[in-house]
Amino acid sequence: MADVVQVAPADDPVRPLFSPAGELTAEARATLGLSPDALRDLYHKMVWIRRTDQEALNLQRQGELGLWGPYQGQEAIHVGTVAALRETDWIFPSYREFGMGMCRGIDPAEMLKLFRGVSHGPWDPRTYHFAPLVIPVASQVPHGVGFAMGSRFKHSDDVVLSTFGDGATSKGDWHEAMNFAGVFQAPVIFLCQNNHWAISVPLAKQTAGSIAERAQGYGFPGIRIDGNDVLGIFAAIRTAAERARRGGGPYLIEAMTYRMGPHTTSDDPTRYRTNVELERWSAKDPIPRFRQWLEGQGLLDEAALAAINREVEAKVETMRNRLRATTAPAPGEAIFGRVYQHPSDSFLEEREEFESSLESN
Amino acid sequence: MEPVTMAKAINLSLRDALANDDSVLIFGEDVGTLGGVFRITDGLQKTFGPERVFDTPLAESAIIGICIGLVLRGFKPVPEIQFDGFIYPAFDQIVSHVAKYRNRTGVSMPITIRVPFGGHIGAVEHHSESPEAYFAHTAGLKVVAPATPGDAYALLQSAIADPDPVIFFEPKARYYLKEEIDTAREVPIGRARIAREGTGVTVVAYGPTVSIALDAAKAAEKENISLEIIDLRSLSPLDMPTILESLRKTHRAIVVHEAPVFGGFGGEIAARIADDGFDLLEAPIERIGGMDAPYPPARYEKLYLPDVDRILEAADVALAYG
Amino acid sequence: MADQTFRLPDLGEGLTEAQLVAWRVEEGARVEINAPLCDVETAKAVVVIPSPYAGTIHKLHARPGESVAVGAPLVTIAAQETPTTVEPEDPAPRTLVGYGPGAPEAGVRRRARVAPVATGEPGADVRAAPFVRQLAKEKGVDLARVTGTGPGGRITKADVEAATSAPAATSAPAATPATPATNGERRISVVGIRKAIARQMVRSVSTIPQFTEFAIFDASALMAAREKQKAGGRSLTPLPYFIQAMVKAVRAYPLMNSSWDESRDEIVVKQPINVGIAVNTSQGLLVPVLRGADQLDLHEIADRGAKLIEGARAGTLGPGEMSGGTITVTNVGASGPVETGTPIISPPECCVVAFGAIKPRPMVVDGQVVARPGAWISISVDHRIVDGALATEFLTALVAELEKVSA
């Protein structure tokens, strides 16, 4: 019995859109079919999520948040990805995809409850098709694959976007999930946000090989692209999603980007990396890049820029005020409220005892 | 109905669950074409097709990890972990996600994880373990272990119907125990049963040790010692009222499990008795279990595991307190 | 303009202090929200702290080089009325998430006390199992005087039972006297029923705002009814009459048979009327419960009530017979010269009724002072549920029921 080994899947509609260096070709860029308003909206969203990121950092420094994990530098991925998907497609994020959640319509002041320590998950994933932020690295990847398998079982054309960082590719769960996806032909797009750093460990110490090319070993295509080009992200995700919708199976996109800030507010990146590197990546900052492109296309003038900034400032101020007015649920509800749908008597007794111990004197 | 084995009872229970609820999926290593290494899922793929009963790659963490997504997509997964000793790669998914997802999102996780557990089958390493305490310790999970075919059928129905995640431990040494079963009988999670009434000493057991405790009770009867045997059936939640009710009669308790005693689930039972039934005790609570050593090579397992003699010795000690 | 003091937050998950590196503002200067205030160095990193307020710098609380504790004042800003008038959910600095756990405030209990701390059991050298100790307490056996026949000289159940039947067995009070303290005080360790009573009473007076009302009723009809029963060969105490009258009055005023649910701020009106009967026992006060008193006739009340009282005194009642009461009755006039009292509600009930001794009293009948049998009644009620007017109506109804007793 002869085993058939499929080395390079023939069906790869993404690769033709990109140069060998992972840049979206001029031709592909010209045929995206996005209206001027849609293009300006991508820019608007990138500015909004960056400003929100900065404000969250301020709020942490002011004692309003316990911790914050900035995503500065990765906005093109956050915005481009959500724009390329249908609302009914599910996103299974890691922990840094705050901007994606905002683009999916979740109120940032609500999401910040996570970092304010009042909730482990302040939104219902079923409302936004956006799974909870997950902290144990790579452990969310099999969840997305399971959902995608379910989509196939139900003959639905909803696809799944499963995202993770470069560090996640070292974990067993990542491999297990990639393998399941290949075996079950699950409609899932794996999006590796390769931001070059897993806290203090650089890419070179994380893995000795290419991440994108590993896809072939699981029986589906993969590509490494420029992760700081919002249109490149948009094109790759949309095309891979269409392929998955048609029953083409999984796709792995490795988006090269850079975490410009610290891992979290508890981190000090000056201990492990140089300013030279940061400056090099600042030159590829996705926001000024896209602004220049839009200006070059005649799609963005001073007045439009000012209007965007005004609108973003107003949204950020609203978020700040709403966050500071956050009320915390009562301790009994916060601790015991969502553990079991059918709790046992002894569980309820423990809650009751706890709550009565809190009665004020 | 003819008497059936526990293996068959579980198979029937899975079959009925698949037939009654389209959202139930069964998967794991070798559960499809082969019907499982213990043949528990025998014939299910044939009847219900490979989209509802399927083989997965050899990867426990992913077997449990995909359950999260499948639930979000509207399914009720009933995965099988092939052996107790292979559940550890899935520990992170069970503890960090299956147990906590509802707490994190408000979305319940109706997942029943079936695990053959315990020793007595002369197996090689990693095939005879009793990891129940790890999971009973984890808030958000329910943990059950039937001891009879009838309970296995009914308890599995309750587990699959439960909106919360359940770890379903099957005593593999009792897979071939036979009895007539009544598929209409309900066994709710969290309810123990008195497997045998007695007045002298209460013996709390679950899963594979229930049969041994019953054997001990028969032997004790010849010596005019009366043991009351409680089959817990459910470890979490734990049916303390039934245990305390028994202690009001006997004032003495023995806990028996196969897992090592140190840090074992028997410690929780003993502590609860000390908390809620302190004034009932006439003797210290005896705990009988595996030794605080890894499960031994098969030829030593009989020395390692609780047996009739150890239960009788513990009863002697308990009764010596007058 | 209002002065706002900004305290140093925990900038990195569990830090306790930071060193002030440099100020970027000076006193008197204006700042906007998020303008850099200062650089501080923590154990993890050097960071810039942005201003949480817009306004004028009023005071800088630390100098460069100084160490500032998390939660200590950093800067006071005469803040503009910010467009946001919302207050943070808790103005206390430590509860802000970014201030970390900190140390608990010294000398302040942060939770209501659940139970008094139990003192050690006396007679530590006595070897006996918990159940045997419990039995000894119930039987009034002093374990120090019992010789154990169990393993290692352990006292067994049989030893206690033997000691109970022995003539020399001493009667021990529920509270066992412990070693006398050096200053002449005696400390009595509180265990068992005494402890339970204490807990229940503290819960009652500390959670239930209760008030008491008094009345005297004419017991002529009741005494006549008792005579009639006696003639029929049945001797009844006043208690069943009291209970029956109370049940009838409660039916007319169901709020008296209710509970205040603190978790939801709701009144829970109970369906069956389960009457707790306060019984003085050698162990202390016990309250066995006469379940479904509204479904019982006078004789059933008398029979079951007598059994419960007897059981309480003998210590043979199970927990099920001592719980679940919805209203309580106490007979304070059963012995001694006590006319009445201010009974304390048994939580979570709403009402307790006390009856005094029936004896001849001067009463005005048709303008003439005559001697008639009578007794005091007092009721204590939960003012959250019942106001004075309603309590008076209930008490009036209760008196009326007692004065028209016929059976």
Side-chain angles (χ1 to χ4, degrees), chain B residues 243-289:
Chain B
I243 296 174
L244 293 172
E245 199 49 46
S246 175
L247 280 172
R248 284 194 188 94
K249 250 189 324 191
T250 63
H251 306 292
R252 294 164 176 83
I254 297 171
V255 186
V256 197
H257 53 56
E258 291 190 4
V261 169
F262 189 90
F265 190 69
E268 179 63 25
I269 298 172
R272 295 248 164 190
I273 292 173
D275 283 348
D276 302 339
F278 184 71
D279 287 335
L280 298 174
L281 292 174
E282 276 188 69
I285 303 159
E286 301 286 322
R287 286 182 290 156
I288 302 172

Coordinates of all heavy atoms in Angstrom, one line a residue, chain B residues 243-289:
Chain B
I243 N -23.3 10.5 54.1 CA -22.2 10.0 54.9 C -22.5 10.3 56.4 O -22.4 9.4 57.2 CB -20.9 10.6 54.5 CG1 -20.5 10.2 53.0 CG2 -19.8 10.3 55.5 CD1 -19.3 11.0 52.5
L244 N -23.0 11.5 56.7 CA -23.3 11.8 58.1 C -24.4 11.0 58.7 O -24.4 10.6 59.8 CB -23.5 13.3 58.2 CG -22.3 14.2 57.8 CD1 -22.8 15.7 57.8 CD2 -21.2 14.0 58.9
E245 N -25.4 10.8 57.8 CA -26.6 10.0 58.3 C -26.1 8.6 58.7 O -26.5 8.1 59.7 CB -27.6 9.9 57.1 CG -29.0 9.5 57.5 CD -29.5 10.3 58.7 OE1 -29.4 11.6 58.6 OE2 -30.0 9.7 59.6
S246 N -25.2 8.0 57.9 CA -24.6 6.7 58.3 C -23.8 6.8 59.6 O -23.9 5.9 60.4 CB -23.8 6.2 57.1 OG -23.1 5.0 57.4
L247 N -23.1 7.9 59.7 CA -22.2 8.0 60.9 C -23.0 8.1 62.2 O -22.6 7.8 63.3 CB -21.3 9.2 60.8 CG -20.0 8.9 59.9 CD1 -19.3 10.1 59.6 CD2 -19.2 7.8 60.6
R248 N -24.2 8.7 62.0 CA -25.1 8.8 63.2 C -25.4 7.4 63.8 O -25.7 7.2 64.9 CB -26.4 9.5 62.9 CG -26.2 11.0 62.8 CD -27.4 11.8 62.7 NE -27.0 13.2 62.4 CZ -27.0 13.7 61.2 NH1 -27.5 13.0 60.2 NH2 -26.5 14.9 61.0
K249 N -25.3 6.4 62.9 CA -25.6 5.0 63.3 C -24.3 4.4 63.8 O -24.2 3.7 64.9 CB -26.0 4.2 62.1 CG -27.4 3.8 62.1 CD -27.8 2.8 61.0 CE -27.2 3.0 59.7 NZ -27.8 2.2 58.6
T250 N -23.2 4.6 63.0 CA -22.0 3.8 63.3 C -20.9 4.5 64.1 O -20.1 3.9 64.8 CB -21.4 3.4 61.9 OG1 -21.0 4.6 61.3 CG2 -22.3 2.6 61.1
H251 N -20.9 5.8 64.0 CA -19.9 6.7 64.6 C -18.4 6.3 64.2 O -17.5 6.7 64.9 CB -20.0 6.6 66.2 CG -21.4 6.9 66.7 ND1 -21.9 8.1 66.6 CD2 -22.3 6.1 67.2 CE1 -23.1 8.1 67.0 NE2 -23.4 6.9 67.4
R252 N -18.3 5.6 63.2 CA -16.9 5.2 62.7 C -16.9 5.2 61.2 O -17.8 4.7 60.6 CB -16.6 3.8 63.2 CG -16.5 3.6 64.7 CD -16.5 2.2 65.1 NE -16.3 2.1 66.5 CZ -17.3 2.2 67.5 NH1 -18.5 2.5 67.1 NH2 -17.0 2.1 68.7
A253 N -15.7 5.7 60.6 CA -15.7 5.8 59.2 C -14.4 5.3 58.7 O -13.3 5.5 59.2 CB -15.9 7.2 58.7
I254 N -14.5 4.6 57.5 CA -13.3 4.1 56.8 C -13.5 4.7 55.3 O -14.6 4.6 54.8 CB -13.2 2.6 56.7 CG1 -13.0 2.0 58.1 CG2 -12.0 2.2 55.8 CD1 -13.1 0.5 58.2
V255 N -12.4 5.2 54.7 CA -12.5 5.7 53.3 C -11.6 4.8 52.5 O -10.4 4.6 52.9 CB -12.2 7.1 53.2 CG1 -12.4 7.6 51.8 CG2 -12.9 8.0 54.2
V256 N -12.1 4.3 51.4 CA -11.2 3.4 50.6 C -11.2 3.9 49.1 O -12.2 4.1 48.5 CB -11.8 2.0 50.5 CG1 -10.8 1.0 50.0 CG2 -12.4 1.5 51.8
H257 N -10.0 4.2 48.6 CA -9.8 4.4 47.2 C -8.5 3.8 46.8 O -7.6 3.4 47.6 CB -9.9 5.9 46.8 CG -9.0 6.8 47.6 ND1 -7.7 6.7 47.7 CD2 -9.4 7.9 48.3 CE1 -7.2 7.7 48.4 NE2 -8.2 8.5 48.8
E258 N -8.3 3.7 45.5 CA -7.0 3.1 44.9 C -5.9 4.1 44.9 O -4.7 3.8 44.9 CB -7.3 2.5 43.5 CG -8.2 1.3 43.5 CD -8.2 0.6 42.2 OE1 -7.5 1.0 41.3 OE2 -9.0 -0.4 42.1
A259 N -6.2 5.4 44.8 CA -5.2 6.4 44.7 C -4.4 6.5 46.0 O -4.9 6.1 47.0 CB -5.9 7.8 44.4
P260 N -3.2 7.0 45.9 CA -2.4 7.1 47.1 C -3.1 7.9 48.2 O -3.9 8.9 47.8 CB -1.1 7.9 46.6 CG -1.0 7.5 45.2 CD -2.4 7.3 44.7
V261 N -2.9 7.6 49.4 CA -3.6 8.2 50.5 C -3.2 9.7 50.7 O -4.1 10.6 50.8 CB -3.4 7.4 51.8 CG1 -3.9 8.2 53.0 CG2 -4.1 6.1 51.7
F262 N -1.9 10.0 50.5 CA -1.4 11.3 50.8 C -2.0 12.3 49.8 O -1.8 12.1 48.6 CB 0.1 11.4 50.7 CG 0.7 12.7 51.2 CD1 1.0 12.8 52.5 CD2 0.9 13.7 50.3 CE1 1.5 14.0 53.0 CE2 1.4 14.9 50.7 CZ 1.7 15.1 52.1
G263 N -2.8 13.3 50.2 CA -3.3 14.2 49.3 C -4.5 13.7 48.5 O -4.9 14.3 47.5
G264 N -4.9 12.5 48.8 CA -5.9 11.8 48.1 C -7.3 12.3 48.4 O -7.5 13.1 49.3
F265 N -8.3 11.8 47.6 CA -9.7 12.3 47.8 C -10.2 11.9 49.2 O -11.1 12.6 49.8 CB -10.6 11.9 46.7 CG -11.9 12.5 46.7 CD1 -12.0 13.9 46.4 CD2 -13.1 11.9 47.1 CE1 -13.2 14.5 46.5 CE2 -14.3 12.5 47.2 CZ -14.4 13.9 46.9
G266 N -9.7 10.8 49.7 CA -10.1 10.4 51.1 C -9.9 11.5 52.1 O -10.6 11.6 53.1
G267 N -8.8 12.2 51.9 CA -8.5 13.3 52.9 C -9.6 14.3 52.9 O -10.0 14.9 54.0
E268 N -10.3 14.6 51.8 CA -11.4 15.6 51.7 C -12.6 15.0 52.5 O -13.2 15.7 53.3 CB -11.8 15.9 50.3 CG -12.9 16.8 50.1 CD -12.6 18.2 50.7 OE1 -11.4 18.6 50.7 OE2 -13.6 18.9 51.1
I269 N -12.8 13.7 52.3 CA -14.0 13.1 53.0 C -13.7 13.1 54.5 O -14.6 13.5 55.3 CB -14.2 11.7 52.5 CG1 -14.5 11.7 51.0 CG2 -15.3 11.0 53.3 CD1 -14.5 10.3 50.4
A270 N -12.5 12.8 54.9 CA -12.2 12.8 56.3 C -12.3 14.2 56.9 O -12.8 14.3 58.0 CB -10.8 12.2 56.5
A271 N -11.8 15.2 56.2 CA -11.9 16.5 56.7 C -13.3 17.0 56.8 O -13.7 17.7 57.8 CB -11.1 17.5 55.8
R272 N -14.1 16.6 55.8 CA -15.5 17.1 55.9 C -16.2 16.4 57.1 O -17.1 17.0 57.8 CB -16.3 16.7 54.6 CG -15.7 17.4 53.4 CD -16.7 18.4 52.9 NE -16.1 19.3 52.0 CZ -16.6 20.5 51.5 NH1 -17.8 20.8 51.9 NH2 -15.9 21.2 50.8
I273 N -15.9 15.1 57.3 CA -16.5 14.4 58.5 C -16.1 15.1 59.8 O -16.9 15.4 60.6 CB -16.1 12.9 58.5 CG1 -16.8 12.2 57.3 CG2 -16.5 12.3 59.8 CD1 -16.3 10.8 57.1
A274 N -14.8 15.5 59.8 CA -14.3 16.1 61.0 C -15.0 17.5 61.2 O -15.3 17.9 62.3 CB -12.8 16.3 61.0
D275 N -15.3 18.2 60.1 CA -15.9 19.5 60.2 C -17.4 19.4 60.6 O -17.9 20.1 61.5 CB -15.9 20.2 58.8 CG -14.5 20.8 58.5 OD1 -13.7 20.8 59.4 OD2 -14.3 21.2 57.3
D276 N -18.1 18.5 59.8 CA -19.6 18.5 60.0 C -20.1 17.5 60.9 O -21.2 17.5 61.3 CB -20.2 18.3 58.6 CG -19.8 19.4 57.6 OD1 -19.4 20.4 58.0 OD2 -19.9 19.1 56.4
G277 N -19.2 16.5 61.2 CA -19.7 15.4 62.1 C -18.7 15.1 63.2 O -18.6 14.0 63.7
F278 N -18.1 16.2 63.7 CA -17.0 16.0 64.7 C -17.6 15.2 66.0 O -17.0 14.3 66.5 CB -16.5 17.4 65.2 CG -15.4 17.3 66.2 CD1 -14.2 16.9 65.8 CD2 -15.6 17.7 67.5 CE1 -13.1 16.8 66.7 CE2 -14.6 17.7 68.4 CZ -13.3 17.2 68.0
D279 N -18.8 15.6 66.4 CA -19.3 15.0 67.6 C -19.9 13.6 67.4 O -20.3 13.0 68.3 CB -20.5 15.9 68.1 CG -19.9 17.2 68.7 OD1 -18.8 17.2 69.2 OD2 -20.7 18.2 68.7
L280 N -19.8 13.2 66.1 CA -20.4 11.8 65.9 C -19.3 10.8 66.0 O -19.6 9.6 66.1 CB -20.9 11.8 64.4 CG -22.1 12.7 64.1 CD1 -22.4 12.6 62.6 CD2 -23.3 12.3 65.0
L281 N -18.0 11.2 66.0 CA -17.0 10.2 65.9 C -16.6 9.5 67.2 O -16.4 10.2 68.2 CB -15.7 10.9 65.3 CG -15.8 11.3 63.9 CD1 -14.6 12.1 63.5 CD2 -16.0 10.1 63.0
E282 N -16.5 8.2 67.1 CA -16.0 7.5 68.3 C -14.6 7.0 68.0 O -13.9 6.5 68.9 CB -16.9 6.3 68.6 CG -18.1 6.6 69.4 CD -18.9 5.3 69.8 OE1 -18.3 4.6 70.6 OE2 -20.0 5.1 69.3
A283 N -14.1 7.1 66.8 CA -12.8 6.6 66.5 C -12.2 7.4 65.4 O -13.0 8.1 64.6 CB -13.0 5.1 66.0
P284 N -10.9 7.4 65.2 CA -10.3 8.2 64.1 C -10.8 7.6 62.8 O -11.1 6.5 62.7 CB -8.8 7.9 64.3 CG -8.6 7.3 65.6 CD -9.9 6.7 66.0
I285 N -10.8 8.5 61.8 CA -11.2 8.1 60.4 C -10.0 7.3 59.8 O -8.9 7.9 59.8 CB -11.6 9.3 59.6 CG1 -12.7 10.0 60.3 CG2 -12.0 8.8 58.2 CD1 -12.9 11.5 59.8
E286 N -10.3 6.1 59.3 CA -9.2 5.4 58.7 C -9.2 5.6 57.2 O -10.3 5.6 56.6 CB -9.4 3.9 59.0 CG -9.4 3.5 60.4 CD -8.0 3.5 61.0 OE1 -7.1 3.1 60.3 OE2 -7.9 3.9 62.2
R287 N -8.1 5.8 56.6 CA -8.0 6.0 55.2 C -7.2 4.8 54.6 O -6.1 4.5 55.0 CB -7.4 7.3 54.7 CG -8.3 8.5 55.0 CD -7.6 9.8 54.5 NE -6.5 10.1 55.4 CZ -5.5 10.9 55.0 NH1 -5.5 11.4 53.8 NH2 -4.6 11.2 55.8
I288 N -7.8 4.2 53.6 CA -7.1 3.1 52.9 C -7.0 3.4 51.5 O -7.9 3.8 50.8 CB -7.9 1.8 53.1 CG1 -8.2 1.4 54.5 CG2 -7.2 0.6 52.3 CD1 -9.1 0.3 54.7
G289 N -5.8 3.2 50.9 CA -5.6 3.5 49.5 C -4.3 3.0 49.0 O -3.6 2.2 49.7

